[in-house]
């Protein structure tokens, strides 16, 4: 028996893990801006607009064991992730974006990296990672809930 196939992630675990990831991302963004003093650019603010509600919505859903929240949370996570992808591309290829008038940042330019870990991990990469993890956890939870609903109807 393969332990990976016999162990099944419970919906509570996935929902709780997504909530913890959103809390970590929210607290991380607040740490960088309020404690470290990094001034967030416009794209950082847009990512925050999509991450902060996830913390509240996922917390309520976890408390109430409400799997129906996914249809409201997945769009927030996907849109936030798309903004993160754009932000990463903007940082990596700043000259290409600025030469074509695609700049979208202020008060600090988006091409400013306050720090880089391991040569590629920046704040937008961390945001994208959080959005992707939340999306994958909730999408898999959605599939599991649909499969469980189908199996109980048989």
């Amino acid at each position: 028996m393969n332990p990976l196939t016999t162990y099944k992630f419970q919906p509570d675990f996935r929902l709780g893990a997504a909530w913890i990831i959103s809390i970590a991302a929210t607290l991380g963004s607040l740490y960088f801006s309020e404690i470290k003093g990094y001034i967030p650019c416009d794209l950082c603010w847009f990512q925050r607009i999509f991450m902060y509600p996830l913390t509240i919505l996922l917390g309520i859903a976890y408390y109430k064991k409400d799997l129906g929240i996914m249809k409201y949370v997945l769009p927030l996570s996907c849109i936030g992730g798309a903004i993160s992808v754009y932000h990463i591309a903007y940082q990596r290829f700043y000259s290409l974006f600025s030469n074509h008038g695609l700049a979208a940042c202020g008060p600090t330019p988006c091409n400013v990296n306050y720090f880089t870990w391991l040569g590629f991990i920046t704040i937008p990469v961390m945001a994208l990672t959080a959005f992707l993890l939340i999306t994958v956890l909730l999408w898999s939870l959605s599939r599991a809930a649909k499969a469980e609903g189908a199996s109980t109807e048989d």
Side-chain angles (χ1 to χ4, degrees):
M1 228 172 7
N2 185 352
L4 293 177
T5 57
T6 58
Y7 180 74
K8 186 175 169 185
F9 284 118
Q10 297 300 316
D12 290 344
F13 172 80
R14 294 178 202 173
L15 198 54
W19 181 40
I20 289 169
I21 291 166
S22 70
I23 290 170
T26 298
L27 293 176
S29 73
L30 291 172
Y31 169 78
F32 286 132
S33 63
E34 301 304 318
I35 295 173
K36 295 293 273 182
Y38 300 159
I39 300 170
C41 67
D42 288 348
L43 290 175
C44 290
W45 276 112
F46 286 125
Q47 290 168 81
R48 288 176 176 201
I49 287 169
F50 287 95
M51 181 58 72
Y52 289 5
L54 290 177
T55 303
I56 296 166
L57 293 172
L58 289 170
I60 293 169
Y62 180 72
Y63 178 74
K64 293 189 171 243
K65 310 290 187 247
D66 181 11
L67 301 181
I69 193 71
M70 291 172 292
K71 59 186 157 201
Y72 305 110
V73 172
L74 279 173
L76 289 173
S77 183
C78 292
I79 294 169
I83 294 169
S84 296
V85 168
Y86 178 79
H87 196 177
I88 293 165
Y90 189 87
Q91 278 187 331
R92 302 278 184 213
F93 308 108
Y94 176 73
S95 60
L96 177 68
F97 281 81
S98 62
N99 290 341
H100 290 88
L102 298 173
C105 286
T108 58
C110 289
N111 67 326
V112 173
N113 286 331
Y114 287 111
F115 68 91
T116 303
W117 292 336
L118 304 174
F120 70 97
I121 300 174
T122 61
I123 294 173
V125 170
M126 288 188 287
L128 176 61
T129 302
F131 282 122
L132 284 175
L133 286 171
I134 291 168
T135 300
V136 167
L137 283 167
L138 295 178
W139 181 73
S140 68
L141 179 60
S142 172
R143 289 187 47 153
K146 287 179 185 174
E148 187 175 299
S151 68
T152 58
E153 292 174 4
D154 293 339

